[in-house]
């Protein structure tokens, strides 16, 4: 009785160069997570998952063997957590429980940068349509610029399921690369004197508990009235924040911040990786999406910086805004704020930009979620 | 390149940017409003 090599070693026999490329991609993600510490909580599960799913007949994915369908664990997780959008929304509860909105009350006008720094999303969407992507695909690619992984997953899952792996990898990888992407763009658009501008902030301003409890409720109501399609995103974010601020659910708040956030993050990363198969990932479209993702990040940063420069034309000298702070209007929290604070200290070791940068960054979190909801509402209308 | 799709993308971008600014402006007034109505000092006095 003779067995062929394919029958004895089906995985090795079925291995293609595309599988090897994806295993190399997985190893690279793990390297970035472990060695460079770029978003390790997500890049490591994604990297390991990319290795897991790129063996022919891998048992973690659904396979048909001898006419029988054997369901893979990662497919079960995908159907339960990503296709239903449950995992990203649960992550929003955790993020909401982690965010302290009180810095926004020190200088609420900084909230506007959370809008200005979404500019790159729309520019990228337009560019993606020029490159031949459909409207829904273009919107999903543009949202990478939100620097907001869960929002990117939700939009891509609704509009462009085939592009989900590339979009989620780009979104999370570039979030981790904020310290590399933002500084050159900011330096290109600002003068040394602009980068030294000191900002007036009321660091001692305290916010009442009533205010902090009312804030997530009112924001949810307003979002529900203006753009109900954003309500899942905003609502879960604000629910998490309400648990944090209400003062009577400290145990739940801690659980949401730690256990819930950690558990869902582990599952989210490895589940996204279930889509990183060679057949879906090793394509020209993936490279284009990665390129467009960087473009979105760059133009989001530019949008925030240029908006600050525009505002400065109308502000009194004592109220001027350091244009670098505008770049924090993206959602990568608190990394973007830390980067800007560090850049400010390099220009002038006595200029502390952390508080306004944090305020702007918090605004960016709200802005990215709003834009995600708006795209979910607008794109089907123009269909 | 499909001009029709590009046209739609431009329209969505225009509406999207305007709406997100409107959202943020509304949130700005919400923040200013609730901070004015429920200031920290008043809460302290009540305690």
């Amino acid at each position: 009785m003779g067995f062929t090599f394919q029958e004895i070693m089906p995985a090795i026999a079925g291995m293609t160069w595309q599988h090897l490329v994806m295993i190399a991609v997985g190893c690279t993600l793990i390297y970035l997570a472990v060695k460079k510490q770029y978003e390790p909580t997500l890049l490591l599960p994604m990297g390991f998952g990319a290795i897991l799913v790129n063996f022919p007949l891998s048992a973690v994915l659904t396979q048909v063997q001898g006419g029988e369908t054997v369901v893979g664990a990662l497919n079960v997780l995908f159907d339960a957590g990503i296709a239903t959008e449950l995992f990203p929304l649960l992550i929003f509860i955790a993020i909401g429980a982690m965010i302290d909105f009180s810095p926004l009350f020190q200088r609420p006008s900084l909230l506007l940068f959370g809008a200005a720094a979404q500019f790159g999303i729309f520019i990228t969407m337009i560019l993606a349509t020029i490159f031949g992507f459909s409207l829904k695909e273009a919107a999903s690619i543009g949202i990478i610029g939100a620097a907001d992984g869960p929002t990117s997953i939700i939009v891509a899952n609704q509009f462009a399921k085939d592009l989900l792996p590339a979009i989620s990898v780009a979104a999370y990888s570039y979030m981790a690369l904020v310290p590399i992407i933002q500084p050159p763009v900011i330096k290109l658009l600002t003068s040394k004197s602009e980068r030294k501008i000191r900002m007036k902030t009321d660091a001692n301003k305290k916010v009442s508990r009533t205010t902090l409890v009312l804030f997530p409720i009112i924001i949810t109501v307003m979002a529900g009235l203006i753009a109900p399609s954003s309500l899942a995103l905003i609502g879960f974010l604000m629910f998490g924040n309400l648990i944090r601020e209400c003062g009577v659910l400290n145990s739940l708040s801690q659980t949401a911040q730690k256990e819930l956030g950690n558990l869902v993050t582990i599952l989210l990363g490895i589940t996204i990786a279930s889509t990183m198969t060679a057949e879906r990932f090793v394509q020209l479209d993936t490279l284009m999406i990665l390129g467009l993702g960087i473009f979105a990040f760059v133009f989001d940063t530019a949008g925030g910086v240029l908006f600050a420069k525009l505002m400065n034309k109308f502000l009194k000298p004592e109220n001027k805004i350091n244009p670098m702070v505008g770049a924090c209007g993206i959602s990568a929290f608190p990394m973007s704020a830390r980067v800007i604070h560090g850049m400010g200290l390099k220009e002038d070791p006595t200029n502390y930009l952390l508080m306004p940068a944090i305020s702007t960054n918090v605004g960016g979190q709200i802005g990215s979620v709003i834009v995600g909801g708006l795209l979910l509402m607008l794109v089907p209308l123009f269909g | 390149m499909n001009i029709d799709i590009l046209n739609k993308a431009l329209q969505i971008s225009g509406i999207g940017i305007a709406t997100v600014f409107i959202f943020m402006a509304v949130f700005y007034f919400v923040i200013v409003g609730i901070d004015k109505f429920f200031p920290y000092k008043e809460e302290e006095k009540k305690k």
Side-chain angles (χ1 to χ4, degrees), chain A residues 122 159 226-227 229-230 233 367-380, chain B residues 12 15-21 23:
Chain A
F122 295 104
F159 288 163
I226 303 172
S229 55
S230 68
L233 299 166
S368 69
V369 173
I370 295 291
V371 171
L374 284 174
L375 287 176
L376 290 176
M377 181 179 75
L378 290 172
V379 172
Chain B
I12 290 173
I15 298 170
I17 282 278
T19 312
V20 74
F21 268 102
F23 251 108

Side-chain angles (χ1 to χ4, degrees), chain A residues 28-343:
Chain A
T28 308
L29 293 179
I30 294 173
Y31 170 79
L32 290 174
V34 176
K35 195 75 180 171
K36 302 284 180 185
Q37 296 194 7
Y38 290 161
E39 292 281 336
T41 47
L42 272 153
L43 291 193
L44 191 135
M46 282 169 74
F48 193 74
I51 295 172
L52 269 181
V53 300
N54 278 292
F55 291 97
L57 303 176
S58 170
V60 295
L61 295 178
T62 300
Q63 306 287 346
V64 179
Q65 291 174 347
E68 265 187 49
T69 303
V70 182
V71 179
L74 288 186
N75 288 102
V76 173
L77 283 174
F78 186 89
D79 291 341
I82 303 287
T84 59
E85 294 166 10
L86 192 64
F87 288 168
L89 292 176
L90 289 175
I91 285 279
F92 269 124
I93 295 181
I95 295 172
M98 288 176 208
I99 299 178
D100 176 11
F101 281 118
S102 57
L104 264 184
F105 288 78
Q106 287 167 5
R107 194 164 174 180
S109 59
L110 293 175
L111 198 61
L112 291 174
F113 292 103
Q118 311 304 327
F119 180 67
I121 294 174
F122 295 104
I123 288 286
T124 306
M125 185 175 77
I126 293 167
L127 191 66
T129 61
I130 293 172
F131 282 142
F133 286 99
S134 71
L135 196 57
K136 287 186 172 179
E137 289 171 341
S140 307
I141 295 168
I143 202 73
I144 295 171
D148 182 341
T151 302
S152 300
I153 291 171
I154 286 176
V155 173
N157 190 50
Q158 291 206 15
F159 288 163
K161 280 193 169 64
D162 284 346
L163 305 184
L164 179 62
I167 287 171
S168 44
V169 169
Y172 280 110
S173 310
Y174 295 157
M175 272 165 64
L177 296 178
V178 162
I180 296 168
I181 297 173
Q182 285 205 311
V185 180
I186 293 167
K187 282 188 176 172
L188 193 70
L189 295 173
T190 54
S191 64
K192 203 164 177 62
S193 60
E194 283 175 323
R195 295 197 291 273
K196 283 184 176 177
I197 291 176
R198 287 170 180 269
M199 289 183 65
K200 200 172 78 176
T201 49
D202 187 0
N204 295 323
K205 180 180 168 62
K206 288 184 177 168
V207 184
S208 70
R209 192 175 138 206
T210 313
T211 301
L212 290 174
V213 170
L214 283 176
F215 181 72
I217 299 170
I218 294 175
I219 293 295
T220 304
V221 171
M222 303 303 281
L225 291 173
I226 303 172
S229 55
S230 68
L231 213 46
L233 299 166
I234 279 275
F236 276 69
L237 185 75
M238 292 301 159
F239 172 58
N241 189 251
L242 186 59
I243 291 174
R244 172 198 174 96
E245 300 296 354
C246 69
V248 293
L249 294 175
N250 289 339
S251 173
L252 289 193
S253 171
Q254 290 298 317
T255 304
Q257 290 179 44
K258 293 173 184 168
E259 284 82 2
L260 178 69
N262 289 339
L263 271 173
V264 182
T265 301
I266 291 173
L267 295 177
L268 186 71
I270 202 156
T271 308
I272 289 168
S274 71
T275 61
M276 290 174 70
T277 54
E279 297 77 22
R280 295 176 73 173
F281 207 85
V282 185
Q283 293 179 6
L284 181 63
D285 278 1
T286 305
L287 282 178
M288 286 175 74
I289 290 166
L290 294 176
L292 285 166
I294 285 210
F295 184 86
F297 254 75
V298 167
F299 274 81
D300 272 351
T301 303
V305 172
L306 293 175
F307 186 68
K309 291 176 77 147
L310 179 70
M311 277 183 80
N312 280 345
K313 302 263 181 216
F314 305 98
L315 292 172
K316 292 175 185 169
E318 66 270 22
N319 289 330
K320 293 247 190 248
I321 294 164
N322 188 314
M324 294 197 296
V325 167
C328 298
I330 63 168
S331 177
F333 180 88
M335 194 180 291
S336 185
R338 281 189 198 147
V339 168
I340 300 310
H341 176 60
M343 285 182 75

